[in-house]
Amino acid sequence: LPRLASSTRATSTKERLENAKNKLEEKRKDFIKKFSGQMTTRLEAAAKRLESLISRLESRIAKIKSENKNISTTEAEKYLAEAKTALDTAKTKIANIPKSIDTVINSEDAKKAFEETRGIVKETQEGLKSSFQAINKAIRSLKGAGQGRTASTTTATSTNN
């Protein structure tokens, strides 16, 4: 009789341990879904803001060109093309995040798969940053162009005593 009690205790302990593992795995999957949803929302919002900036910059360039044909906007247009390319790449990666999350959730090694998803998110963030930097360069190249001056970049000089 004592052996029967110890074996049932061991079985129930294993069952409880297995149940706890399953609950932990479910919580982990829920966390991953929540994380991916929040990150996708944030990245999509950032992409929309950058699209808005790009369209405003395009209209500004068109206005400058129509007001004065002598003003060169080629540098700004080059930076704008870079921004569009970087933004398109980032938007493609944003669209791939949900697929990556599905892979994570169905994966045996969820930790490794989640790290891969984090990598995709990081790459997307870098793409959005590079798009933003290109937009800033385009804006700097246009500064003053609307007042009839040529659109060019300025270099800062320092004075050393």
Side-chain angles (χ1 to χ4, degrees):
L1 194 66
R3 284 187 176 210
L4 180 62
S6 68
S7 89
T8 56
R9 234 182 300 157
T11 305
S12 68
T13 303
K14 286 180 181 178
E15 288 173 0
R16 282 186 285 171
L17 187 60
E18 192 64 35
N19 286 339
K21 268 186 177 179
N22 290 339
K23 284 182 183 179
L24 183 62
E25 189 64 29
E26 286 302 314
K27 283 184 180 183
R28 183 176 289 146
K29 287 179 181 181
D30 288 342
F31 171 77
I32 291 170
K33 285 179 186 177
K34 184 178 177 184
F35 171 80
S36 69
Q38 290 171 339
M39 287 308 299
T40 303
T41 301
R42 288 178 188 155
L43 294 172
E44 286 172 344
K48 283 183 183 180
R49 287 191 299 272
L50 291 175
E51 283 178 335
S52 172
L53 284 173
I54 288 172
S55 69
R56 287 173 55 197
L57 194 54
E58 286 174 329
S59 69
R60 180 64 50 158
I61 289 171
K63 183 178 177 182
I64 289 171
K65 280 183 168 180
S66 70
E67 288 179 358
N68 190 346
K69 304 279 186 208
N70 297 330
I71 297 175
S72 173
T73 58
T74 54
E75 188 176 1
E77 290 170 342
K78 178 186 81 160
Y79 289 130
L80 192 60
E82 287 176 21
K84 284 181 178 179
T85 303
L87 183 60
D88 288 341
T89 303
K91 286 169 53 176
T92 302
K93 289 181 181 181
I94 290 170
N96 288 334
I97 290 174
K99 295 174 194 166
S100 173
I101 294 303
D102 288 341
T103 303
V104 169
I105 290 179
N106 297 326
S107 173
E108 290 295 320
D109 188 8
K111 188 173 184 177
K112 180 181 175 189
F114 187 61
E115 289 302 319
E116 291 173 9
T117 301
R118 274 195 173 149
I120 292 170
V121 169
K122 271 286 196 211
E123 290 172 9
T124 305
Q125 289 172 334
E126 292 301 318
L128 292 173
K129 284 180 186 178
S130 65
S131 177
F132 182 72
Q133 289 169 348
I135 290 170
N136 280 335
K137 288 177 184 177
I139 291 169
R140 275 187 256 136
S141 72
L142 286 176
K143 282 217 171 160
Q147 286 81 29
R149 296 187 292 246
T150 60
S152 64
T153 59
T154 58
T155 57
T157 58
S158 62
T159 57
N160 293 330
N161 291 342

